[in-house]
Amino acid sequence: MCATLTTMSNSALTSDQRSERQHNSRGPYVSFITNRTTNLLIRGGMLFFVGVFLALVLNLLQVQRNVTLFPPDVISSIFSSVWWVPPSCGIASAMIGVLYPCIDRRLGEPHKFKREWSSVMRCVAVFVGINHASAKVDFANNVQLSLTLAALSIGLWWTFDRSRSGFGLGISIALLATLTTQILVYNGVFQYTNPDFLYIRSWLPCIFFAGVITMGNIGRQLALALLSNSSFYKRIIVALTEKVNLILFTFGKAKWSLNLQ
Amino acid sequence: MTLREQLREKISAAFYRHGLLCASYPVPIILFTSASILTCCYPLLRLPLPGTGPVEFTTGVQDYSVPSHEPLGDLERPDWYHGPPVAYIQQVLVKAAVSPWDSSLVPVDVFRSPLGKVFSLLEEIRNHVHSDGSGIRSLEALCLQVTDLFPGLRRMQSVLPEHGCLLVSPGNYWQNQRDLFDSDSDLLKTIQKHEPKGLHTSATLRDLLFGVPGKYTGVSHYNRKRVVTYTITVVLSNYDAGFLSSLRTRLKQLHPSANCSLRDDHMVHIHFKEEIGIAELIPLVTTYIILFAYIYFSTRKIDMVKSKWGLALAAVVTVLSSLLMSVGLCTLFGLTPTLNGGEIFPYLVVVIGLENVLVLTKSVVSTPVDLEVKLRIAQGLSNESWSIMKNMATELCIILIGYFTLVPAIQEFCLFAVVGLVSDFFLQMFFFTTVLSIDIRRMELADLNRRLPAEAGLPPSKPGPLRTREAPPPPRPSPHTITLQTPAFRNLRLPKRLRVVYFLARTRLAQRIIMAGTVIWIGILVYTDPAGIRTYLAAQVSEQNPLGDSGGGGLSPHLAVAPVFRGGDPTSTLSIHRAPAPTPLPENQSQGHLGPAGPLPHAPPSMPQITWGAEDEEGWRRLSFRHWPSLFSYYNITLAKKYISLLPVIPVTIHLSPQEAIDTRHPQDTRHPPPPIPKVSVDIQTDLTLYKVAALGLAAGVLLVLLLFCLYRVLCPRNYGRNGVAHGRRRRGDLPCDDYGYSPPVSEISPLLLRGHSMDIECLASDGMLLASCCLAGQIRVWDAQTGDCLTVIPKQRLRQCSSSGCWEQRDVWDTITAESDCACESRDPNLGCDGVSEDDCYPLRRRSAPTRPPLFTDQPDLTPLIDTNFTSQPPSNLATPPRGGFDFGGLVERAYMEHEPPSPSTYPSPSSASSSPPSATYLQRTLSLGDASGPPNQAVGAGTQSAGDWESSVWAMELRGNLIAAGRSSGKLELWDAVEGSLRCSNEDGVSGITALAFLNNRIVAARLNGSLDFFTVEINKPLGLLQYRGAPGRGSMPPSPCYSSEDLISCQLTRSVQCAHQKPITVLRAAAGRVVTGSQDHTVRVYRLEDSCCLFTLQGHSGGITAIYIDQTMVLASGGQDGAICLWDVLTGSRVSHVYGHRGDVTSLVCTTSCVISSGLDDLICIWDRSTGIKLYSIQQEVGCGASLGVISESLLVTGGQGCVSFWDLNFGDLLQTVYLSQSGDGQGVRQLLVLDNAAIVCDFGSELSLVYVPSVLEKLD
């Protein structure tokens, strides 16, 4: 009895120690910025702006398909979406971008595949390209569109991520986002022009997935760049310029085809 | 061997051979590649240039029929010319004038009655009915029926027709109602009312309604031609040749145009490209920005090559030309691109990617440098062959999958991508590899050029070993190289703003951008032709060339109709004052019947002349090219990717009599004052606009200048190099790897460890050939700086003073040790004992223990190292009880004695207490140099040590010149030792205060003492063959001791002058060079003395703290650093201060100057590099704690710093860490406290009790 208790406490102790040790060894994301909160805030802020920007741009990409050629007020179409869409995209992308490196650290398997900015740029470009294709290319039917987008999204993950955690997180967040959209549509907040999958468009999860992968990619790279190097401000500038490029994240895509009420 | 491995081997071999080929014949291969690129791009010439300008196509009217929907294979017809046009546009061009002009007419008459004529014309057109065999057709049936204006255009509601026929004319201003027109008191105001405010380049409402550009209408008070021009635009949806020709005949019949030579047999079809609005542009721009970011981040990774930018350019060229090749090939095989090239282009680039190119470069670069270029290329290529092939196969697979989506657009994209990938692979293999080989070869040549003289400069052979024993010299580390990249490609560790400025200056970026911008702007201007520049130019050319074609645009001269006007019908804008027609024309009579006043055969000069020129034929060309799209867009009809057909205009000439003009006058018209300044008023409106624009531009320019100025002030504050601006700070320990984890291979430099000292090394001195070190135990060792052999050991002066006689009694020694340890016991931890309290507390302990040492045992081994004062590790009982009881020193002492027996040095067992019990003297000096001790040390110390003789005084300063070691002791005694024999040459005991610093220059020795006095000694050598003559001779160290050294009295050291009160406070630094002696003291001043006559030249004041560091060299550069963290540069000749910067928080601990910069280190463990001429801080290097003071400059561009158990080499010009050499295998060494750079570029640094000799790798600088 006593022995059992001892072993139990021992095992508890060792597990505590292990977790403690794990906590202390911070993997490749060692922070030279002493203040972790500041660090987190900076990253979150940058990701937020990236998300907002991408939402606006990709929204525009979608809007112009139905837009007339000479709208009297071109500029206003940029901000044609409802006010809460870009901020929510930004918040979502910030959360995802922070979550990814966090999960990597928790799992103890740091992401090492293609960790460089050029690869991230490539990823963002492909993501915009996917959106572009879905907006501009005429598909025979929705199934074809959805299948193509799904293949492209998986290809995106394989090319730039290849981590199980990335895939799992992407899938779950995409499903969650689709569900959220579903609920929103069901409650009549907005609706899609021609829904083909319950109340939404069937390609929505694919776009969500690609967006999550892209945001995660950016988030990881930001974490690496911001945390690991000394020239902190240089990194910020780089990241800011990079923000000009950005991600589209989910809602930007969803938004255009849904007529907000 | 699996298939996979076989395949891999084959691929690798193939790539190897290919690499050899490419590197062997670079020029033919590049030529071949260029030729193939050009060949593949040739079909592109047939493709139309992309652009958004409209395209036109002309057909004849006679045989016109609506084109069919299927595009015909006809080459003459553009592919857009199929199907019916959006609309047919029939313009009726009206030119009206009041003629003859009467002086009683007011300016308003110029346009009021001509404009009034529009209503009757409109009526005529609307009511025109054509009837033939097929039925009766009216305009209502044929015209384009519009339903609703675009929402948001409500303000145009009153002007544009909202339903019914789209018929546009100036009459729309008055809702096509004559009575509204008549009752309008101010026509111009009505017209102007609808004009948009501000500058507007596209079609305005006025242009739309008048159908001609505003300045040609003639509707203004200042119309000196008095001809009013406007059009009635009829938009037809169906083409009916019969109706149109009957309308034309009818109008011509009603208002015949004399001398009108307009051709009416051509109709022009205009195709409008897809408009790119801002909404579409933003995503496009975003993709391009992403593309550029991608290219930037990719090419940034190219490293370690000769020309980084050249290779980056080659990489981009590779990708771009592979795209062009793919488009060209696709076109060649009949696949015409239907996708918007501008849109898919970024995605294609991203898909093809620059990765392979980068991988290739990195692989080749990382091959051994000493291989032949050919082999390097081949090796690098074959190393990466497998991954390249694998990646390419994967990409092809993905694209193939994409091809099977069966979506036409995606299929086309995939097709392009496949061809692009293949051609990209081709170009990579041939073009880029060859360029890379050329680049690498250039680099190699530069290396070789550099390396040869560098190695030739090394001493050819080392002098034979001097040592008596047969010890093989330790293997000299093989020469290693440090590669300095070419300066242009390294990151200059400059402040950011300077880097930006340098970049701008280097590339002349601003000028080029402005130039390119201007060129592009002009190009756009000409291309889009918004203001009719082309027509204007054409007209001017034709005017200057009367023999040429009189009309622009390929119109044939109208020989039959109006030969008189040949060459004389240039544009109406240019012929403002035309001479009247020389001969009356018979046609003029026909126009007469319209004007009731009757024709005037000879028109007076004031008579308005209506002329028809070639430019009237296609008057719409002078309109904005957005004219028609905007007109249609008002009705929500897009012209993008569609075309309209313009029918030949119907000219209408109307002459009105003055009477008519007067009749139609509005009562208020006459009240208008005559034009105030008729002469200049013609263009007054445009002039005003011009002035406005000019003023705006000027204001904008001024604003820009101000903005830039503010920006400059913000970016470049005047606190250059002030404290707190820590730009470009680098942490040491950072490997010079880039952000991608790639670090250049580190060549191992194995340092030579010089072991022998048992305690921490306190003083180091060297003259290049020999190296002398003195440890806390008072032992002086002399080493060969070349090989690291220990030549001499001077254990403690007293041991050499007596002859080697006397027995050795353990008992006595035992007592000594006991006494020593007792003493140590009492003082316990000297650190604690001395730190807080003054030195007085410690010295009595030393004094008391000193006399207990029996002076007769002079030949004993020095056992002081054996004292273990690390009591913390021992049980406390040992302290309480006498040590003889529980502790046996016998073994220890015996071993020490055995090792002492042979005179040759050997390593003593390093006591564990080495670092923990430094004598208090060290602390005295430490505190001195750090400036903690404010007052001079007590005289009692001096007296005490004086009475004790040499036994207890420790060496505080040491210098080595030639064979002589000058040692300054805490007792104030100056001793000269023979470095080779280890014998004392002479000593001088004139001073009583401890010598804190020594300078040994030529045959003079300067000693600075604790009490602030400065003593000048002269070393006199009685024999002509003085040892000083051997200075510098190579191989001097190998010579046997000269007989002249045999008697000691040959060398004498005389005190020539003693400056008693050189400084008010202890002298902390003493440096001598170039015949000057510079002292720095606690009293905040620096003094400069002349060495020969010890005359004080200057007292330099400027520091607000004690002087802690001084640098002076042969070029009379003097720099000083103080406790206030300030660094001053002085002019030694005049004693003036050149510059003064604050660089450190806390003391400046070390200072070195090169020709271009000043390097300082401080207590804040920061090494700062300053520009010497301007005093601007270039960058700083973060040192490890406690290692801040150790630094040295090896060459102009190589800086060496000490760290925890390592030394690091830095590129001085750019602040790049080149290499870090670890001094001990374990890597956990102590911090390097001192660092000495020798002449042969070996570095000696002391860390703990060991010395380390590091040979500087040969520096290899890549030339441009």
Side-chain angles (χ1 to χ4, degrees):
Chain A
M1 179 62 189
C2 184
T4 324
L5 276 181
T6 316
T7 48
M8 276 178 64
S9 66
N10 273 349
S11 69
L13 194 68
T14 48
S15 71
D16 279 349
Q17 281 170 342
R18 197 180 306 127
S19 68
E20 185 79 10
R21 204 178 307 127
Q22 213 162 30
H23 192 72
N24 285 341
S25 69
R26 285 180 287 181
Y29 301 106
V30 173
S31 171
F32 282 102
I33 304 164
T34 45
N35 191 343
R36 285 176 63 93
T37 323
T38 319
N39 178 4
L40 204 68
L41 282 182
I42 289 171
R43 270 158 58 210
M46 283 195 283
L47 285 164
F48 176 79
F49 282 116
V50 165
V52 169
F53 181 81
L54 270 193
L56 288 177
V57 166
L58 295 176
N59 180 32
L60 202 61
L61 200 66
Q62 309 288 355
V63 161
Q64 54 178 254
R65 202 173 192 198
N66 306 326
V67 97
T68 49
L69 196 54
F70 306 105
D73 38 5
V74 178
I75 299 297
S76 66
S77 71
I78 297 177
F79 302 102
S80 59
S81 52
V82 169
W83 65 269
W84 52 263
V85 171
S88 48
C89 289
I91 289 171
S93 45
M95 280 166 49
I96 293 169
V98 171
L99 197 61
Y100 258 80
C102 195
I103 293 261
D104 281 347
R105 201 167 56 227
R106 277 293 148 84
L107 290 182
E109 38 187 45
H111 192 246
K112 294 237 173 62
F113 183 69
K114 288 195 187 172
R115 288 282 62 147
E116 42 197 49
W117 277 113
S118 66
S119 168
V120 173
M121 285 299 117
R122 225 180 163 191
C123 179
V124 175
V126 171
F127 177 62
V128 175
I130 289 178
N131 278 271
H132 203 140
S134 75
K136 287 268 167 101
V137 177
D138 295 312
F139 286 91
N141 53 44
N142 277 323
V143 177
Q144 199 180 32
L145 173 64
S146 306
L147 284 182
T148 311
L149 287 187
L152 282 175
S153 306
I154 302 289
L156 184 81
W157 169 79
W158 175 254
T159 320
F160 298 106
D161 194 316
R162 289 197 200 178
S163 67
R164 284 177 297 125
S165 60
F167 191 79
L169 207 57
I171 288 281
S172 46
I173 291 181
L175 289 181
L176 204 67
T178 316
L179 196 67
T180 315
T181 325
Q182 190 91 343
I183 291 172
L184 286 180
V185 172
Y186 186 75
N187 288 331
V189 181
F190 56 81
Q191 72 184 35
Y192 286 86
T193 42
N194 43 354
D196 62 334
F197 169 64
L198 295 179
Y199 298 100
I200 56 169
R201 301 291 295 262
S202 54
W203 42 254
L204 205 57
C206 309
I207 295 291
F208 277 131
F209 178 74
V212 171
I213 295 290
T214 309
M215 277 326 284
N217 220 342
I218 294 179
R220 281 167 167 170
Q221 188 66 28
L222 267 184
L224 200 66
L226 265 186
L227 297 183
S228 67
N229 226 310
S230 53
S231 49
F232 171 72
Y233 292 102
K234 190 177 119 194
R235 301 288 144 170
I236 291 188
I237 290 166
V238 167
L240 282 181
T241 50
E242 176 269 350
K243 171 197 83 176
V244 179
N245 311 324
L246 279 255
I247 343 86
L248 122 114
F249 165 48
T250 68
F251 281 100
K253 170 66 184 183
K255 220 258 84 192
W256 67 274
S257 57
L258 34 99
N259 288 339
L260 297 171
Q261 291 181 346
Chain B
M1 189 182 274
T2 65
L3 182 68
R4 180 189 154 97
E5 280 166 352
Q6 276 179 344
L7 191 66
R8 187 172 180 159
E9 202 150 283
K10 284 217 171 89
I11 289 176
S12 180
F15 271 72
Y16 192 87
R17 281 195 297 274
H18 177 76
L20 279 185
L21 175 79
C22 282
S24 309
Y25 307 100
V27 178
I29 286 183
I30 284 195
L31 286 180
F32 162 70
T33 323
S34 313
S36 44
I37 292 177
L38 289 181
T39 318
C40 291
C41 292
Y42 175 71
L44 288 181
L45 291 180
R46 303 218 309 259
L47 285 183
L49 282 177
T52 56
V55 190
E56 60 185 64
F57 177 60
T58 309
T59 56
V61 172
Q62 309 297 339
D63 48 351
Y64 174 77
S65 62
V66 178
S68 63
H69 280 278
E70 287 76 32
L72 302 174
D74 196 350
L75 272 184
E76 290 173 6
R77 291 187 168 195
D79 48 359
W80 48 264
Y81 184 62
H82 58 84
V86 175
Y88 299 93
I89 290 173
Q90 175 66 66
Q91 280 190 306
V92 178
L93 180 59
V94 181
K95 289 196 176 190
V98 177
S99 107
W101 186 251
D102 197 325
S103 57
S104 68
L105 297 174
V106 292
V108 185
D109 292 332
V110 171
F111 52 85
R112 179 173 275 276
S113 54
L115 276 183
K117 271 298 190 183
V118 76
F119 299 103
S120 59
L121 279 170
L122 278 174
E123 200 70 15
E124 186 65 44
I125 293 172
R126 278 186 195 281
N127 297 335
H128 182 77
V129 171
H130 171 68
S131 57
D132 59 3
S134 56
I136 297 173
R137 270 152 300 177
S138 68
L139 187 68
E140 281 297 320
L142 293 175
C143 74
L144 184 73
Q145 301 282 347
V146 291
T147 53
D148 203 5
L149 268 178
F150 194 79
L153 284 177
R154 298 291 168 217
R155 62 189 177 83
M156 299 227 180
Q157 233 171 356
S158 60
V159 186
L160 288 172
E162 219 176 338
H163 43 76
C165 273
L166 182 53
L167 193 79
V168 181
S169 74
N172 286 82
Y173 279 121
W174 300 275
Q175 278 89 44
N176 289 330
Q177 289 167 24
R178 177 77 196 213
D179 36 346
L180 281 181
F181 176 78
D182 284 337
S183 60
D184 191 355
S185 63
D186 194 343
L187 299 182
L188 284 181
K189 195 177 162 195
T190 312
I191 295 172
Q192 210 64 40
K193 194 171 64 184
H194 295 285
E195 289 307 290
K197 304 286 182 290
L199 279 173
H200 209 274
T201 53
S202 70
T204 63
L205 187 65
R206 179 177 173 151
D207 289 347
L208 284 180
L209 295 187
F210 276 87
V212 284
K215 60 177 175 175
Y216 298 120
T217 57
V219 181
S220 84
H221 287 303
Y222 317 111
N223 182 0
R224 289 206 282 172
K225 267 184 68 194
R226 299 185 183 118
V227 175
V228 174
T229 312
Y230 54 89
T231 62
I232 299 170
T233 307
V234 186
V235 182
L236 305 166
S237 60
N238 298 311
Y239 181 74
D240 189 313
F243 176 81
L244 286 173
S245 62
S246 80
L247 179 66
R248 175 180 296 267
T249 342
R250 169 74 179 156
L251 285 177
K252 276 192 172 177
Q253 189 188 348
L254 278 179
H255 309 282
S257 301
N259 62 18
C260 175
S261 59
L262 302 190
R263 300 193 302 170
D264 53 0
D265 53 345
H266 281 98
M267 60 194 296
V268 182
H269 312 278
I270 302 181
H271 177 252
F272 294 92
K273 295 279 178 58
E274 188 169 11
E275 283 280 336
I276 295 189
I278 298 178
E280 311 213 353
L281 224 47
I282 288 178
L284 200 63
V285 167
T286 309
T287 34
Y288 272 92
I289 289 176
I290 296 176
L291 173 69
F292 283 126
Y294 169 63
I295 291 180
Y296 167 73
F297 283 119
S298 298
T299 53
R300 213 174 59 155
K301 289 187 287 184
I302 298 181
D303 218 350
M304 303 265 299
V305 291
K306 171 74 186 156
S307 159
K308 185 172 174 171
W309 291 111
L311 272 190
L313 184 71
V316 174
V317 163
T318 306
V319 172
L320 290 192
S321 44
S322 72
L323 276 183
L324 285 179
M325 278 173 78
S326 66
V327 178
L329 285 176
C330 289
T331 321
L332 190 65
F333 293 113
L335 188 116
T336 46
T338 59
L339 292 175
N340 186 344
E343 270 180 26
I344 63 166
F345 175 77
Y347 302 124
L348 274 177
V349 171
V350 167
V351 163
I352 290 177
L354 293 164
E355 262 63 28
N356 270 355
V357 167
L358 304 178
V359 165
L360 266 185
T361 311
K362 199 167 279 182
S363 162
V364 168
V365 161
S366 55
T367 50
V369 193
D370 43 354
L371 278 182
E372 205 183 338
V373 181
K374 265 197 285 192
L375 300 179
R376 286 186 71 187
I377 295 282
Q379 225 174 61
L381 219 57
S382 75
N383 283 345
E384 289 301 324
S385 60
W386 182 243
S387 70
I388 287 179
M389 291 308 284
K390 217 167 55 178
N391 281 341
M392 183 158 160
T394 321
E395 284 177 1
L396 282 180
C397 275
I398 292 177
I399 291 173
L400 274 184
I401 291 173
Y403 191 79
F404 288 112
T405 53
L406 300 180
V407 180
I410 293 187
Q411 278 183 323
E412 191 182 334
F413 180 87
C414 291
L415 208 59
F416 272 119
V418 166
V419 182
L421 267 186
V422 173
S423 53
D424 184 54
F425 179 72
F426 166 76
L427 286 183
Q428 273 167 18
M429 285 303 109
F430 285 92
F431 179 71
F432 188 78
T433 312
T434 318
V435 171
L436 189 61
S437 77
I438 292 175
D439 184 273
I440 300 274
R441 180 167 292 127
R442 280 174 64 212
M443 189 172 74
E444 299 270 320
L445 288 179
D447 286 352
L448 286 181
N449 291 343
R450 175 75 187 189
R451 193 182 303 177
L452 282 179
E455 293 194 341
L458 288 178
S461 63
K462 279 190 302 179
L466 163 75
R467 41 239 133 256
T468 50
R469 60 211 163 91
E470 298 295 319
R476 182 136 179 213
S478 59
H480 289 289
T481 55
I482 284 185
T483 308
L484 298 185
Q485 295 165 326
T486 44
F489 308 120
R490 275 177 292 176
N491 292 336
L492 214 52
R493 292 288 158 200
L494 289 176
K496 284 225 170 52
R497 53 172 185 269
L498 279 188
R499 286 160 69 179
V500 169
V501 170
Y502 284 168
F503 177 73
L504 289 181
R506 202 170 58 229
T507 57
R508 289 180 177 75
L509 200 62
Q511 293 96 312
R512 285 177 193 187
I513 287 178
I514 291 173
M515 257 173 55
T518 317
V519 169
I520 290 173
W521 182 67
I522 292 175
I524 290 176
L525 220 57
V526 172
Y527 187 64
T528 57
D529 202 8
I533 290 178
R534 235 173 353 199
T535 1
Y536 178 79
L537 289 179
Q540 221 156 24
V541 167
S542 66
E543 189 186 40
Q544 288 167 357
N545 185 11
L547 295 178
D549 216 355
S550 62
L555 294 172
S556 57
H558 321 297
L559 292 172
V561 189
V564 232
F565 282 100
R566 185 164 179 223
D569 58 348
T571 71
S572 55
T573 48
L574 294 171
S575 59
I576 295 177
H577 279 303
R578 292 199 53 224
T583 52
L585 298 173
E587 289 87 347
N588 272 356
Q589 300 189 348
S590 65
Q591 86 184 36
H593 75 269
L594 272 178
L600 291 179
H602 292 277
S606 65
M607 169 157 178
Q609 186 79 37
I610 296 179
T611 59
W612 293 93
E615 79 282 351
D616 292 327
E617 186 174 318
E618 292 179 326
W620 49 268
R621 285 195 193 278
R622 291 186 299 207
L623 295 168
S624 155
F625 73 107
R626 287 187 52 89
H627 183 85
W628 304 116
S630 48
L631 174 63
F632 283 93
S633 72
Y634 290 154
Y635 296 97
N636 211 357
I637 300 170
T638 173
L639 290 187
K641 294 178 168 176
K642 296 173 185 166
Y643 75 97
I644 56 173
S645 297
L646 292 173
L647 302 172
V649 295
I650 303 173
V652 168
T653 311
I654 299 173
H655 286 266
L656 294 158
S657 67
Q659 190 54 46
E660 266 183 291
I662 291 171
D663 289 345
T664 51
R665 257 187 212 168
H666 190 271
Q668 290 195 335
D669 280 355
T670 47
R671 287 185 217 154
H672 280 285
I677 319 160
K679 286 192 298 249
V680 288
S681 60
V682 182
D683 296 323
I684 197 154
Q685 274 183 309
T686 51
D687 279 358
L688 272 181
T689 324
L690 203 67
Y691 291 143
K692 273 187 227 163
V693 170
L696 270 178
L698 201 66
V702 170
L703 200 69
L704 194 69
V705 168
L706 285 178
L707 193 71
L708 283 179
F709 182 71
C710 294
L711 212 61
Y712 171 80
R713 291 304 295 268
V714 169
L715 285 180
C716 307
R718 293 200 171 272
N719 58 350
Y720 283 124
R722 286 293 147 82
N723 212 351
V725 191
H727 36 242
R729 172 182 290 204
R730 288 186 63 138
R731 286 190 60 85
R732 55 164 307 118
D734 282 356
L735 280 178
C737 65
D738 57 15
D739 307 330
Y740 310 102
Y742 176 78
S743 58
V746 177
S747 55
E748 281 300 320
I749 299 179
S750 50
L752 273 180
L753 279 191
L754 313 184
R755 286 202 178 88
H757 282 294
S758 48
M759 298 185 79
D760 280 10
I761 289 162
E762 187 61 31
C763 303
L764 265 182
S766 167
D767 66 342
M769 306 304 283
L770 293 179
L771 175 68
S773 61
C774 175
C775 70
L776 286 181
Q779 190 185 52
I780 297 175
R781 279 173 178 260
V782 181
W783 316 80
D784 187 336
Q786 297 272 354
T787 61
D789 292 330
C790 183
L791 303 180
T792 323
V793 180
I794 310 170
K796 195 120 185 177
Q797 61 219 58
R798 65 175 185 277
L799 300 180
R800 288 280 172 189
Q801 275 173 342
C802 308
S803 61
S804 61
S805 65
C807 63
W808 187 84
E809 203 169 347
Q810 175 151 4
R811 182 76 212 181
D812 292 326
V813 178
W814 185 251
D815 287 338
T816 314
I817 293 173
T818 315
E820 284 274 328
S821 60
D822 282 345
C823 152
C825 284
E826 281 182 51
S827 71
R828 281 297 175 86
D829 189 353
N831 290 349
L832 292 173
C834 301
D835 251 358
V837 207
S838 85
E839 295 79 21
D840 301 28
D841 299 329
C842 287
Y843 266 84
L845 295 176
R846 301 285 289 173
R847 233 182 311 154
R848 200 177 50 185
S849 64
T852 63
R853 190 169 292 213
L856 43 156
F857 299 114
T858 51
D859 204 12
Q860 303 161 354
D862 184 9
L863 293 177
T864 43
L866 302 182
I867 303 166
D868 192 350
T869 48
N870 190 6
F871 299 107
T872 53
S873 63
Q874 305 208 358
S877 62
N878 268 5
L879 292 176
T881 60
R884 61 188 86 187
F887 204 77
D888 184 17
F889 282 98
L892 208 57
V893 173
E894 187 158 319
R895 195 173 48 174
Y897 183 69
M898 294 307 286
E899 284 162 352
H900 177 69
E901 198 71 89
S904 74
S906 59
T907 52
Y908 283 121
S910 191
S912 63
S913 64
S915 58
S916 66
S917 69
S920 52
T922 332
Y923 280 83
L924 176 59
Q925 202 203 354
R926 285 261 169 86
T927 48
L928 262 179
S929 62
L930 297 185
D932 290 337
S934 52
N938 47 356
Q939 288 299 105
V941 176
T945 44
Q946 178 79 358
S947 66
D950 278 328
W951 310 118
E952 285 317 307
S953 65
S954 61
V955 177
W956 280 5
M958 190 168 67
E959 274 289 300
L960 178 64
R961 281 289 176 274
N963 259 3
L964 282 185
I965 298 173
R969 293 191 170 270
S970 56
S971 61
K973 191 174 172 185
L974 176 71
E975 292 166 331
L976 284 179
W977 294 82
D978 188 314
V980 178
E981 290 189 334
S983 57
L984 181 67
R985 286 302 186 185
C986 73
S987 68
N988 187 304
E989 303 185 27
D990 290 344
V992 288
S993 184
I995 295 178
T996 57
L998 270 180
F1000 195 168
L1001 202 66
N1002 299 334
N1003 56 349
R1004 287 174 190 274
I1005 296 175
V1006 187
R1009 294 187 188 273
L1010 203 55
N1011 58 6
S1013 64
L1014 197 63
D1015 288 350
F1016 289 78
F1017 297 93
T1018 308
V1019 178
E1020 310 228 334
I1021 301 144
N1022 294 345
K1023 278 211 170 185
L1025 279 179
L1027 78 161
L1028 293 178
Q1029 288 185 354
Y1030 290 99
R1031 270 187 47 81
R1036 170 194 50 77
S1038 64
M1039 288 179 66
S1042 164
C1044 62
Y1045 295 128
S1046 57
S1047 58
E1048 294 180 3
D1049 55 357
L1050 280 184
I1051 299 176
S1052 64
C1053 188
Q1054 300 289 332
L1055 177 67
T1056 52
R1057 171 126 192 250
S1058 175
V1059 184
Q1060 275 311 323
C1061 272
H1063 284 282
Q1064 309 295 328
K1065 290 186 177 176
I1067 294 173
T1068 49
V1069 242
L1070 173 71
R1071 292 281 184 277
R1076 297 287 185 275
V1077 175
V1078 185
T1079 58
S1081 157
Q1082 292 272 331
D1083 60 0
H1084 304 190
T1085 59
V1086 176
R1087 286 192 176 212
V1088 182
Y1089 295 87
R1090 196 150 50 205
L1091 188 60
E1092 295 91 48
D1093 53 4
S1094 50
C1095 160
C1096 177
L1097 297 177
F1098 305 109
T1099 301
L1100 309 176
Q1101 289 174 332
H1103 284 282
S1104 53
I1107 309 298
T1108 51
I1110 280 179
Y1111 176 85
I1112 186 172
D1113 65 10
Q1114 289 298 323
T1115 57
M1116 293 279 211
V1117 180
L1118 175 57
S1120 62
Q1123 289 175 335
D1124 50 353
I1127 299 165
C1128 291
L1129 291 180
W1130 310 87
D1131 183 357
V1132 181
L1133 295 178
T1134 64
S1136 59
R1137 191 165 72 183
V1138 178
S1139 66
H1140 179 239
V1141 291
Y1142 284 97
H1144 294 280
R1145 277 184 278 270
D1147 301 6
V1148 176
T1149 52
S1150 171
L1151 263 180
V1152 183
C1153 293
T1154 67
T1155 54
S1156 61
C1157 52
V1158 179
I1159 303 142
S1160 67
S1161 69
L1163 271 190
D1164 51 359
D1165 295 317
L1166 210 59
I1167 292 181
C1168 297
I1169 286 84
W1170 312 80
D1171 185 45
R1172 206 169 98 176
S1173 51
T1174 62
I1176 296 173
K1177 179 146 93 171
L1178 297 178
Y1179 56 93
S1180 56
I1181 300 170
Q1182 179 71 52
Q1183 285 282 83
E1184 282 170 24
V1185 177
C1187 304
S1190 55
L1191 64 91
V1193 171
I1194 295 171
S1195 72
E1196 271 302 305
S1197 59
L1198 203 56
L1199 170 74
V1200 56
T1201 63
Q1204 289 291 346
C1206 63
V1207 289
S1208 301
F1209 296 93
W1210 303 81
D1211 181 356
L1212 200 49
N1213 295 329
F1214 300 94
D1216 286 339
L1217 176 61
L1218 298 172
Q1219 200 162 7
T1220 298
V1221 177
Y1222 287 91
L1223 300 178
S1224 58
Q1225 300 300 327
S1226 57
D1228 52 51
Q1230 291 172 284
V1232 173
R1233 289 206 312 267
Q1234 284 191 51
L1235 210 144
L1236 202 63
V1237 176
L1238 303 186
D1239 291 346
N1240 59 357
I1243 309 161
V1244 171
C1245 41
D1246 83 79
F1247 66 118
S1249 62
E1250 292 178 344
L1251 281 175
S1252 186
L1253 205 55
V1254 180
Y1255 288 95
V1256 181
S1258 62
V1259 176
L1260 203 143
E1261 183 146 16
K1262 280 177 187 155
L1263 299 174
D1264 274 326

